[in-house]
Amino acid sequence: MDTIKTNPMKKTIYILLVMTLVLVSCKQTGPVDYALVSGNITGKEGELTLMSEDRTFSKTLESGKDGSFSDTIRTKPGHFFLRDGKNVVRLYLAPGNEVRVNADAGDFDNTLSFSGKDAASGRYLKLKGKTITDLTGDMKSFYAQDETAYREANKGIGTALEKILDSMPGLDEGFIRKEKRNLHYEYLNALNIYQNYYAHFADDPDFKVSDGFLDELAGMDYNLVEDYNFSSSYRQLLQDHYRERSGKLSESDSLPGEIAYMKVLTTIPDETIRNGLLFGHASNNITFVSDLEAYYSIYASASTDEENNAVIKKSYEELKALSGGNPSPVFSGYENYEGGTTSLNDLRGKYVYIDVWATWCGPCKAEIPFLKEVEEEYRDRNVEFVSISVDRNKDRDKWKAMIAEKELKGVQLLADKDWESDFVKAYVIKGIPKFILIDPEGKIVSSNAPRPSDPELKKLFEEVL
């Protein structure tokens, strides 16, 4: 038998090639840690924003001149909102998902479609939203129904949605299972909000639901991590449950509401839920708290999520720099409604009471009558009332129109870069309205001043003016 000689160098190269192919193959078949979101929104060029439903994740997606976009999303599974500045698409994303969103910006609702191997959840959520809108109809009429009619209407919505869910082809079994539980939580949450909504829409502020109306919430399990991660209605029910407990603690121990709420959250046995609710409240409310040190101490002692903790610690340190007596951050060259521009330094020599607001903000507009009253009462005192709008520059005409319509007084300014303005970011403003008081030397009196409707504002003015 003949012997075939082999070249040692060729053999070595061959072995290395085989090993490389094996490694590449293994890498390609490993678990994917991202979702792929792509699509084309015709007539839309520029940026899209993808934000998680719980607002813990946000990413800007760039679209080309033809409206096309594509990006990988690395975050925990959940519901997301894709916004093009005007229109909103609801998506469910998890690692390994691939979904393509297509629409014409000029006729968005009628042209919105989904493709890709995980398109079914997008189709379901689109149809779900339309069904809820159609069956709810006019909000005032819907929420002003009597208890029996309201309960039955919500049961009917749940039944219709479950039929859609069962008949939608291509949905993942895990999604179906979790969504069915979510539909039940949406029903329970609808019952839970009924008292406040009826009181508002029926103009009956003293309305109370009858005994037994909320019996279906009795015995609810508040420690279901999978449901917490999937369902915003379940999370809302949890928050309301713990707020009710914190209200009792606040009253019994004479604690500020935000301190009592954080104390209650520290007692949650499940780590994921505890961390999530602590972070959710702190990320949105730490800038408003009356006792920063106590609030942060409670948070830091109970949260075990290092990534969350780094975010809250950064906010805490920024807010410490805004304590009374420290120099105030400044704004420069803000557009003045009366013409020209205004900077904070132009107002030196007076106390400056700043209202950060926007034309689209309901709670901001609710403060207008009270602000007018305070302005009138203190017009001859050494205080300047300044309103800074965080409306976008493209909404300048809306800003001007509301000032004229509401006959707003004081110094009316438009921030240079809305929420991204240096002044807004320096004051760690997470929500509006936000009120700030600065002394004649440009030092902070209060970075979280009382709002005009709060009697404490006049007490503060009498102390310093």
Side-chain angles (χ1 to χ4, degrees):
M1 185 175 186
D2 294 334
T3 300
I4 301 175
K5 292 183 179 181
T6 58
N7 186 316
M9 181 62 71
K10 289 183 178 181
K11 185 175 181 180
T12 300
I13 293 173
Y14 174 76
I15 293 171
L16 289 173
L17 178 60
V18 171
M19 290 177 65
T20 300
L21 290 172
V22 170
L23 288 172
V24 171
S25 177
C26 289
K27 183 176 181 181
Q28 289 176 338
T29 58
V32 176
D33 65 348
Y34 61 84
L36 179 61
V37 178
S38 62
N40 187 293
I41 300 180
T42 306
K44 168 63 182 177
E45 178 185 354
E47 295 182 346
L48 305 172
T49 302
L50 184 73
M51 179 178 287
S52 61
E53 188 176 52
D54 63 5
R55 298 187 178 185
T56 60
F57 173 89
S58 180
K59 186 172 185 178
T60 299
L61 313 183
E62 296 291 339
S63 63
K65 291 183 179 180
D66 62 349
S68 63
F69 61 93
S70 180
D71 212 333
T72 53
I73 309 301
R74 287 181 168 87
T75 187
K76 62 186 179 182
H79 292 86
F80 294 80
F81 297 106
L82 179 66
R83 293 182 169 89
D84 69 354
K86 179 181 179 181
N87 303 295
V88 181
V89 181
R90 185 162 185 169
L91 302 170
Y92 179 79
L93 300 174
N97 283 177
E98 295 179 14
V99 61
R100 183 174 177 83
V101 181
N102 297 292
D104 184 333
D107 188 19
F108 196 88
D109 290 340
N110 291 324
T111 59
L112 177 62
S113 65
F114 302 89
S115 57
K117 71 181 185 68
D118 300 292
S121 60
R123 297 187 189 111
Y124 165 74
L125 292 171
K126 176 188 176 183
L127 186 53
K128 177 183 179 179
K130 183 179 185 304
T131 302
I132 292 174
T133 299
D134 291 345
L135 295 180
T136 300
D138 174 66
M139 286 188 67
K140 182 173 183 178
S141 300
F142 185 78
Y143 287 107
Q145 298 179 90
D146 64 46
E147 290 181 357
T148 300
Y150 179 78
R151 186 195 302 274
E152 291 306 310
N154 279 285
K155 284 183 177 179
I157 291 173
T159 299
L161 294 178
E162 189 158 342
K163 287 182 179 178
I164 293 172
L165 183 66
D166 287 334
S167 63
M168 180 67 63
L171 282 175
D172 176 77
E173 289 184 6
F175 179 91
I176 295 173
R177 173 175 51 81
K178 288 181 281 191
E179 175 63 8
K180 285 189 175 182
R181 293 206 303 272
N182 175 56
L183 293 178
H184 179 60
Y185 295 132
E186 288 179 349
Y187 167 71
L188 294 180
N189 195 47
L191 299 184
N192 200 42
I193 66 174
Y194 174 65
Q195 179 171 291
N196 289 338
Y197 277 57
Y198 182 92
H200 173 73
F201 285 106
D203 196 21
D204 184 2
D206 298 323
F207 172 76
K208 302 293 181 185
V209 295
S210 62
D211 292 341
F213 181 76
L214 297 177
D215 282 354
E216 289 174 270
L217 275 73
M220 182 173 158
D221 189 342
Y222 294 102
N223 292 289
L224 301 176
V225 179
E226 184 175 69
D227 293 345
Y228 173 82
N229 288 330
F230 185 86
S231 171
S232 62
S233 290
Y234 181 78
R235 292 193 295 273
Q236 186 61 56
L237 289 165
L238 258 65
Q239 291 172 31
D240 290 346
H241 169 71
Y242 291 118
R243 286 191 185 282
E244 183 178 355
R245 285 181 52 187
S246 71
K248 296 175 182 177
L249 178 63
S250 176
E251 184 176 351
S252 65
D253 291 14
S254 300
L255 294 172
E258 68 269 12
I259 297 295
Y261 184 62
M262 293 297 275
K263 279 182 172 288
V264 168
L265 294 185
T266 66
T267 67
I268 297 174
D270 181 84
E271 185 178 40
T272 298
I273 296 175
R274 181 176 68 251
N275 284 340
L277 290 181
L278 283 168
F279 180 70
H281 192 270
S283 60
N284 292 313
N285 294 279
I286 192 170
T287 187
F288 294 108
V289 299
S290 57
D291 189 340
L292 177 64
E293 294 297 334
Y295 183 90
Y296 179 71
S297 177
I298 296 169
Y299 172 86
S301 68
S303 174
T304 59
D305 187 305
E306 293 184 4
E307 186 175 338
N308 289 350
N309 293 349
V311 173
I312 301 304
K313 184 178 181 180
K314 182 175 182 291
S315 294
Y316 163 71
E317 291 175 343
E318 290 172 339
L319 288 167
K320 280 184 67 177
L322 300 173
S323 300
N326 287 328
S328 172
V330 299
F331 58 83
S332 300
Y334 280 10
E335 179 181 345
N336 191 314
Y337 174 76
E338 296 294 341
T341 62
T342 298
S343 302
L344 182 60
N345 288 336
D346 297 335
L347 307 172
R348 282 289 182 98
K350 286 188 174 184
Y351 283 90
V352 181
Y353 182 68
I354 297 175
D355 165 22
V356 183
W357 73 296
T359 58
W360 45 262
C361 169
C364 301
K365 290 184 281 188
E367 290 294 325
I368 289 176
F370 301 99
L371 179 59
K372 285 183 173 182
E373 177 187 321
V374 175
E375 287 174 338
E376 177 63 25
E377 184 171 345
Y378 288 88
R379 65 177 180 172
D380 295 325
R381 306 285 285 273
N382 189 38
V383 58
E384 193 78 70
F385 292 90
V386 177
S387 295
I388 298 177
S389 169
V390 292
D391 281 291
R392 291 175 293 187
N393 278 294
K394 72 181 186 65
D395 295 324
R396 177 183 287 102
D397 289 344
K398 293 180 182 178
W399 168 65
K400 289 184 175 181
M402 182 165 289
I403 293 172
E405 175 193 344
K406 301 288 186 181
E407 298 181 341
L408 303 184
K409 307 300 182 183
V411 180
Q412 297 292 330
L413 305 178
L414 182 65
D416 56 353
K417 293 179 287 187
D418 52 83
W419 288 97
E420 294 302 310
S421 300
D422 291 342
F423 183 78
V424 173
K425 290 164 64 175
Y427 266 102
V428 200
I429 298 176
K430 305 289 187 181
I432 51 176
K434 173 77 170 180
F435 300 93
I436 300 162
L437 183 62
I438 301 168
D439 76 9
E441 297 178 354
K443 294 181 180 179
I444 299 168
V445 176
S446 175
S447 62
N448 190 27
R451 56 182 58 200
S453 59
D454 187 343
E456 292 298 316
L457 177 60
K458 292 182 181 180
K459 292 181 182 178
L460 177 59
F461 279 170
E462 292 305 319
E463 289 176 9
V464 301
L465 293 179

